[in-house]
mmCIF file of all heavy atoms in Angstrom:
data_model
loop_
_atom_site.group_PDB
_atom_site.id
_atom_site.type_symbol
_atom_site.label_atom_id
_atom_site.label_comp_id
_atom_site.label_asym_id
_atom_site.label_seq_id
_atom_site.Cartn_x
_atom_site.Cartn_y
_atom_site.Cartn_z
ATOM 1 N N GLU R 92 30.333 -48.201 1.366
ATOM 2 C CA GLU R 92 28.877 -48.087 1.466
ATOM 3 C C GLU R 92 28.377 -48.534 2.833
ATOM 4 O O GLU R 92 27.413 -47.966 3.356
ATOM 5 C CB GLU R 92 28.204 -48.857 0.342
ATOM 6 C CG GLU R 92 28.368 -48.131 -0.979
ATOM 7 C CD GLU R 92 27.640 -48.805 -2.112
ATOM 8 O OE1 GLU R 92 26.399 -48.861 -2.056
ATOM 9 O OE2 GLU R 92 28.321 -49.276 -3.034
ATOM 10 N N PHE R 110 21.238 -31.032 -18.674
ATOM 11 C CA PHE R 110 21.852 -30.271 -19.750
ATOM 12 C C PHE R 110 22.913 -31.125 -20.435
ATOM 13 O O PHE R 110 22.983 -32.321 -20.208
ATOM 14 C CB PHE R 110 22.419 -28.952 -19.207
ATOM 15 C CG PHE R 110 21.351 -28.089 -18.584
ATOM 16 C CD1 PHE R 110 21.131 -28.103 -17.221
ATOM 17 C CD2 PHE R 110 20.535 -27.302 -19.381
ATOM 18 C CE1 PHE R 110 20.125 -27.336 -16.653
ATOM 19 C CE2 PHE R 110 19.519 -26.528 -18.822
ATOM 20 C CZ PHE R 110 19.311 -26.547 -17.467
ATOM 21 N N LYS R 140 19.094 -17.816 -1.149
ATOM 22 C CA LYS R 140 20.444 -17.345 -0.839
ATOM 23 C C LYS R 140 20.780 -17.554 0.636
ATOM 24 O O LYS R 140 19.989 -17.226 1.515
ATOM 25 C CB LYS R 140 20.562 -15.861 -1.195
ATOM 26 C CG LYS R 140 20.433 -15.615 -2.697
ATOM 27 C CD LYS R 140 20.802 -14.196 -3.046
ATOM 28 C CE LYS R 140 20.706 -13.988 -4.537
ATOM 29 N NZ LYS R 140 21.706 -14.748 -5.292
ATOM 30 N N ILE R 158 27.218 -33.988 -1.508
ATOM 31 C CA ILE R 158 28.277 -35.000 -1.423
ATOM 32 C C ILE R 158 27.705 -36.387 -1.685
ATOM 33 O O ILE R 158 28.281 -37.176 -2.433
ATOM 34 C CB ILE R 158 28.998 -34.940 -0.058
ATOM 35 C CG1 ILE R 158 29.796 -33.642 0.052
ATOM 36 C CG2 ILE R 158 29.885 -36.177 0.160
ATOM 37 C CD1 ILE R 158 30.806 -33.407 -1.057
ATOM 38 N N CYS R 164 26.836 -40.640 -8.091
ATOM 39 C CA CYS R 164 27.247 -40.542 -9.504
ATOM 40 C C CYS R 164 28.577 -41.237 -9.731
ATOM 41 O O CYS R 164 28.760 -41.930 -10.743
ATOM 42 C CB CYS R 164 27.333 -39.073 -9.930
ATOM 43 S SG CYS R 164 25.738 -38.252 -10.058
ATOM 44 N N GLU R 168 29.495 -44.614 -12.103
ATOM 45 C CA GLU R 168 30.522 -44.611 -13.147
ATOM 46 C C GLU R 168 31.588 -45.686 -12.947
ATOM 47 O O GLU R 168 32.011 -46.339 -13.894
ATOM 48 C CB GLU R 168 31.180 -43.235 -13.229
ATOM 49 C CG GLU R 168 32.218 -43.097 -14.316
ATOM 50 C CD GLU R 168 31.664 -43.212 -15.727
ATOM 51 O OE1 GLU R 168 30.471 -42.916 -15.957
ATOM 52 O OE2 GLU R 168 32.435 -43.624 -16.619
ATOM 53 N N ILE R 169 32.049 -45.883 -11.694
ATOM 54 C CA ILE R 169 33.185 -46.786 -11.465
ATOM 55 C C ILE R 169 32.774 -48.143 -10.881
ATOM 56 O O ILE R 169 33.605 -49.036 -10.783
ATOM 57 C CB ILE R 169 34.280 -46.130 -10.600
ATOM 58 C CG1 ILE R 169 33.805 -45.858 -9.170
ATOM 59 C CG2 ILE R 169 34.792 -44.856 -11.272
ATOM 60 C CD1 ILE R 169 34.889 -45.373 -8.227
ATOM 61 N N ARG R 177 41.515 -41.736 -2.979
ATOM 62 C CA ARG R 177 41.628 -40.500 -2.205
ATOM 63 C C ARG R 177 40.727 -39.443 -2.813
ATOM 64 O O ARG R 177 40.579 -39.360 -4.019
ATOM 65 C CB ARG R 177 43.074 -40.014 -2.239
ATOM 66 C CG ARG R 177 43.238 -38.673 -1.587
ATOM 67 C CD ARG R 177 44.603 -38.370 -1.142
ATOM 68 N NE ARG R 177 44.454 -37.257 -0.216
ATOM 69 C CZ ARG R 177 45.058 -37.171 0.922
ATOM 70 N NH1 ARG R 177 45.859 -38.108 1.310
ATOM 71 N NH2 ARG R 177 44.881 -36.124 1.688
ATOM 72 N N VAL R 197 29.790 -23.260 5.538
ATOM 73 C CA VAL R 197 28.809 -24.075 4.820
ATOM 74 C C VAL R 197 29.494 -25.305 4.228
ATOM 75 O O VAL R 197 29.055 -26.444 4.423
ATOM 76 C CB VAL R 197 28.104 -23.247 3.717
ATOM 77 C CG1 VAL R 197 27.231 -24.137 2.845
ATOM 78 C CG2 VAL R 197 27.288 -22.117 4.335
ATOM 79 N N ILE R 205 32.816 -36.105 4.156
ATOM 80 C CA ILE R 205 33.795 -36.859 3.373
ATOM 81 C C ILE R 205 34.817 -37.524 4.292
ATOM 82 O O ILE R 205 35.158 -38.694 4.120
ATOM 83 C CB ILE R 205 34.492 -35.942 2.339
ATOM 84 C CG1 ILE R 205 33.497 -35.519 1.263
ATOM 85 C CG2 ILE R 205 35.701 -36.642 1.722
ATOM 86 C CD1 ILE R 205 33.998 -34.396 0.376
ATOM 87 N N PHE R 209 35.520 -41.486 4.438
ATOM 88 C CA PHE R 209 36.774 -42.014 3.886
ATOM 89 C C PHE R 209 37.959 -41.934 4.838
ATOM 90 O O PHE R 209 39.049 -42.375 4.483
ATOM 91 C CB PHE R 209 37.115 -41.278 2.586
ATOM 92 C CG PHE R 209 36.153 -41.562 1.466
ATOM 93 C CD1 PHE R 209 35.135 -40.670 1.173
ATOM 94 C CD2 PHE R 209 36.264 -42.719 0.714
ATOM 95 C CE1 PHE R 209 34.241 -40.924 0.146
ATOM 96 C CE2 PHE R 209 35.380 -42.993 -0.312
ATOM 97 C CZ PHE R 209 34.355 -42.092 -0.595
ATOM 98 N N GLY R 221 31.749 -17.937 -2.954
ATOM 99 C CA GLY R 221 30.439 -17.294 -2.957
ATOM 100 C C GLY R 221 30.012 -17.022 -4.387
ATOM 101 O O GLY R 221 30.823 -16.640 -5.227
ATOM 102 N N THR R 229 19.439 -23.094 -6.178
ATOM 103 C CA THR R 229 19.900 -23.931 -5.080
ATOM 104 C C THR R 229 20.887 -23.159 -4.207
ATOM 105 O O THR R 229 21.613 -22.303 -4.709
ATOM 106 C CB THR R 229 20.543 -25.221 -5.642
ATOM 107 O OG1 THR R 229 20.910 -26.059 -4.552
ATOM 108 C CG2 THR R 229 21.780 -24.924 -6.449
#
Side-chain angles (χ1 to χ4, degrees):
E92 287 184 64
F110 300 96
K140 294 190 178 293
I158 292 304
C164 290
E168 182 65 26
I169 66 173
R177 174 159 197 136
V197 172
I205 291 168
F209 293 99
T229 184

